[in-house]
Amino acid sequence: MSDTLLFVNAAQTVTCAGPPRARRGGEMADAAVRSGIGVAVQGAEIVAVEPDDVLRARFPDAREVDCDRGLLAPGFVDSHTHTVFGAARFAEHELRATGVPYLEIARRGGGIHSSVRDLRSRSDDELFALAGPRLARLAAGGVTTVEIKSGYGLTVHDELRTLRVIRRLADAGPCHIVATCLAAHEVPLEYRDVPGGREAWLDAIVHELYPQVARDRLAAFADVFCEPGVFGVEEARRVLEGARPHGMRPKLHADELHDGGGAALGAELGAVSADHLAAISAGGVAALAASETVATLLPATMLFLGTGRHAPARRLIEAGAAVALASDFNPGTSPLQSFPLVLTLGVSELRLSAAEAWIAGTVNGAAALGLAGVTGQLVPGFRADLAVHAVDDYRALPYWFGERLCVGSWAAGRACHAPR
Ligand code: NIG
Ligand code: FE
């Protein structure tokens, strides 16, 4: 028996084939959807994307995965999550419904701070055990690569602990995991109300935490919540510039609720992505469009916060930016573990076409993690990250929202979510 796996009998194949880099502006309109095309996988790699009969002739001994006239697609790349946390935050959800704003809840010591108290009280084993089923639910929606941020530890010790749990999740597989150090998620309460506290926490991040993260290679990226009322542009610059000598590339939570100049900072620093952007200024749009920084939009967060507003996706695309979609899965603002619903919101709320939404959740998600040459496309030489969905048209996935349509996903050729 050969070790080749053939994915055949798909009604449509969303290849997303194209250059191995972020797609910008008008390039996002083409997801390279084909009919009658299958995929051959050997080990962890895609080796051929051809008509089924051509594949069968080339690989006569291969095992077949029958896509059953469904949709064959690249695995989604969820490039922004906070998957390692303890408990849910039901009370805060209701509190916001009564009109208390997100940042006011944080000012009162809730929000991110409640997840921080909770995470600090749990063991590594508990955090690992809680995160595993969450990743399985993401994989069950067709996700094969997941970025996970720290940021609920907010001590050097608890941030390192979180990053080590993320490392364990990566080692456990089968989904690919990318780690980001988000120690600058908030000013920890014990630093907040003391003179010089903010600076002391930033010093601890840059001078104590980062060297240890780098020594054990615990994170590929550094992130900061750059938002008026949390960290300002100069503080964000310090945290991100401070990460660079330690080998961590910058990412930012930028202009989520108010415009604080975060998008322009991301562009200036050459950040791999600037995320959220619901309150981005016209200058921020222009700066991102002129940069290599991916504009990662998180529409589930805006929906769940009930803000009634969204990032200006069309303006970003029309200006020539590269737009990615991600879940922002976290217990405060986006307890969402279904990536296809993010595509739905991309179309219905952000006004993307279905093809743009697919590119945003695959190729551009990969680019937002520096992986545009590795995953996100069904092309020979790319990693064998695939999913099969029980629909016969690529537009059907964002359309039939709320349904569980993914019937199987594979990361590097290994099943993440078993076919029914
Ligand atoms: O991306 N905005 C900051 N961080 C998260 C929310 C974290 C939380 O509320 O626990 C976000 O929305
Ligand atoms: Fe986030």
Side-chain angles (χ1 to χ4, degrees), residues 333-413:
T333 65
S334 184
L336 174 80
Q337 293 161 88
S338 164
F339 204 89
L341 185 57
V342 178
L343 257 55
T344 301
L345 296 172
V347 176
S348 297
E349 298 290 327
L350 299 183
R351 314 277 164 184
L352 303 184
S353 68
E356 287 171 334
W358 272 98
I359 293 292
T362 55
V363 178
N364 285 0
L369 298 179
L371 297 175
V374 174
T375 190
Q377 305 188 35
L378 300 185
V379 164
F382 272 62
R383 200 163 65 189
D385 299 338
L386 311 89
V388 177
H389 304 275
V391 290
D392 61 6
D393 187 301
Y394 73 101
R395 295 166 298 184
L397 202 69
Y399 178 87
W400 294 114
F401 80 118
E403 296 294 324
R404 293 188 161 273
L405 294 166
C406 177
V407 289
S409 57
W410 292 259

